[in-house]
């Protein structure tokens, strides 16, 4: 999380949000963005990785750290006044194990800080809502824990076969309209919605050409894992727990890590891990 202890003031703000979210699961939060002051942005800066490649502006974390106080004051003022401009994400391609390539986005460092601040707000609201079945990109959870849980459940239920799968092209095809509707059920803050919209519509810079799309969220964006978890919590995790599982005759379980899934089955009793 960084080389120094985090801000007690920011931690207290986030704790109050989390406590209120836990007490009132049906509450719609409408006033969150005002909490993002200069100290909040400093904490977001602290939580932002410093070893990533620079984005389209070429500014590294070390360069941004020079005159940090002034930079954070200016960022706060642009966020507050609505003058914040979300720069396009630079796209690069990395090879996958199967020989194909996966697109990765490189936001600017300042954009990472701003995205981290909004992610912190969303995490405070949603972490208590998320089901125990999801392990990807959540605090104090890991892929190793997900694998251990799968192994544990498979041994318990004596699973017979496994089919590995994932949500094909999830990050490239996430529907902006559906995501916006899902967010508004819990977070209907105009400022939060405006900045998420700016990041989703900022465009991708690839080989010198700027491309815009009305769907998808760039892999590599700080806020993308949170948005994906919110979306999949509603359309997969919650659906499985509330609607599918009670209707099944056999036993079933679900373990999800990002958009990866793997159904399991034992005889006539279906068990699923995703």
């Amino acid at each position: 999380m960084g080389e120094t202890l985090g801000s007690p003031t920011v931690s207290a703000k986030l704790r109050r949000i989390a406590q209120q979210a836990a007490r009132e699961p049906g509450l719609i939060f409408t006033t969150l963005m005002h909490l993002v002051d200069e100290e909040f942005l400093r904490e977001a800066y602290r939580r932002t990785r410093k070893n990533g490649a620079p984005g389209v502006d070429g500014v590294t974390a070390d360069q941004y750290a020079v005159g940090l106080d002034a930079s954070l004051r200016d960022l706060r003022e642009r966020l507050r006044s609505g003058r914040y401009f979300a720069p396009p994400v630079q796209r690069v391609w990395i090879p996958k194990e199967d020989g194909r390539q996966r697109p990765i986005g490189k936001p600017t460092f300042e954009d990472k800080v701003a995205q981290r601040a909004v992610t912190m707000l969303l995490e405070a609201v949603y972490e208590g809502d998320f089901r125990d079945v999801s392990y990807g990109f959540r605090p104090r959870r890991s892929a190793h824990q997900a694998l251990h849980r799968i192994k544990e459940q498979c041994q318990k239920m004596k699973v017979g076969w496994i089919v590995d799968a994932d949500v094909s092209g999830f990050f490239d095809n996430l529907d902006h309209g559906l995501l916006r509707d899902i967010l508004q059920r819990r977070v209907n803050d105009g400022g939060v919605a405006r900045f998420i919209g700016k990041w989703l519509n900022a465009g991708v810079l690839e080989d010198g050409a700027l491309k815009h799309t009305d769907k998808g969220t760039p892999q590599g964006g700080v806020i993308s894992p949170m948005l994906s978890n919110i979306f999949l919590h509603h359309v997969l995790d919650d659906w499985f727990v509330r609607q599918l599982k009670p209707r099944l005759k056999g036993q079933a379980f679900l373990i999800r890590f990002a958009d990866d899934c793997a159904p399991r089955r034992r005889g006539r009793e279906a068990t699923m891990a995703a």
Side-chain angles (χ1 to χ4, degrees), residues 152-197:
E152 182 181 69
Q153 293 286 38
C154 286
Q155 291 175 339
K156 178 181 178 181
M157 297 183 181
K158 297 181 174 59
V159 170
W161 53 260
I162 299 173
V163 177
D164 188 34
D166 64 19
V167 182
S168 180
F170 174 75
F171 284 93
D172 292 331
N173 295 285
L174 180 63
D175 188 287
H176 291 177
L178 289 177
L179 175 62
R180 182 172 57 250
D181 291 343
I182 288 172
L183 281 166
Q184 288 176 346
R185 300 176 191 177
R186 193 62 156 140
V187 177
N188 195 17
D189 179 293
V192 171
R194 181 168 61 254
F195 291 117
I196 290 176

Side-chain angles (χ1 to χ4, degrees), residues 119-134:
T119 299
M120 288 158 58
L121 293 175
L122 295 177
E123 183 180 282
V125 172
Y126 282 101
E127 182 57 30
D129 291 357
F130 288 158
R131 295 287 182 175
D132 193 46
V133 304
S134 67

Side-chain angles (χ1 to χ4, degrees), residues 176-249:
H176 291 177
L178 289 177
L179 175 62
R180 182 172 57 250
D181 291 343
I182 288 172
L183 281 166
Q184 288 176 346
R185 300 176 191 177
R186 193 62 156 140
V187 177
N188 195 17
D189 179 293
V192 171
R194 181 168 61 254
F195 291 117
I196 290 176
K198 286 185 177 184
W199 291 317
L200 291 177
N201 295 298
V204 174
L205 189 65
E206 183 177 3
D207 296 329
L210 180 61
K211 303 175 182 179
H212 291 277
T213 178
D214 58 358
K215 61 182 180 179
T217 178
Q219 294 192 58
V222 172
I223 203 168
S224 293
M226 173 57 67
L227 295 180
S228 69
N229 269 339
I230 292 171
F231 188 89
L232 290 172
H233 163 72
H234 282 275
V235 304
L236 179 59
D237 305 349
D238 221 34
W239 167 79
F240 179 86
V241 173
R242 289 179 179 271
Q243 300 186 39
L244 180 62
K245 189 174 180 180
R247 299 177 183 178
L248 296 176
K249 295 181 179 179

Side-chain angles (χ1 to χ4, degrees), residues 41-152:
L41 288 173
R42 182 175 294 278
E43 178 63 14
Y45 166 83
R46 190 186 71 85
R47 297 188 186 191
T48 300
R49 288 178 54 193
K50 312 299 191 298
N51 59 350
V56 295
D57 62 357
V59 177
T60 66
D62 288 342
Q63 290 170 331
Y64 194 82
V66 178
L68 180 62
D69 290 345
S71 295
L72 293 179
R73 280 195 301 271
D74 180 63
L75 175 58
R76 168 60 189 133
E77 177 56 29
R78 282 181 285 130
L79 290 171
R80 185 195 64 78
S81 65
R83 293 185 294 107
Y84 181 77
F85 169 75
V89 174
Q90 187 170 354
R91 174 175 285 175
V92 296
W93 295 83
I94 62 173
K96 299 176 67 174
E97 292 181 357
D98 60 6
R100 294 181 297 171
Q101 290 187 313
R102 179 177 64 178
I104 294 293
K106 296 193 300 180
T108 65
F109 183 77
E110 182 176 72
D111 211 35
K112 291 179 183 179
V113 174
Q115 288 189 33
R116 176 60 63 193
V118 174
T119 299
M120 288 158 58
L121 293 175
L122 295 177
E123 183 180 282
V125 172
Y126 282 101
E127 182 57 30
D129 291 357
F130 288 158
R131 295 287 182 175
D132 193 46
V133 304
S134 67
Y135 285 81
F137 308 110
R138 292 181 60 187
R140 298 171 295 280
R141 290 188 167 226
S142 67
H144 292 293
Q145 291 174 329
L147 290 172
H148 176 76
R149 181 63 173 165
I150 291 173
K151 178 181 178 181
E152 182 181 69

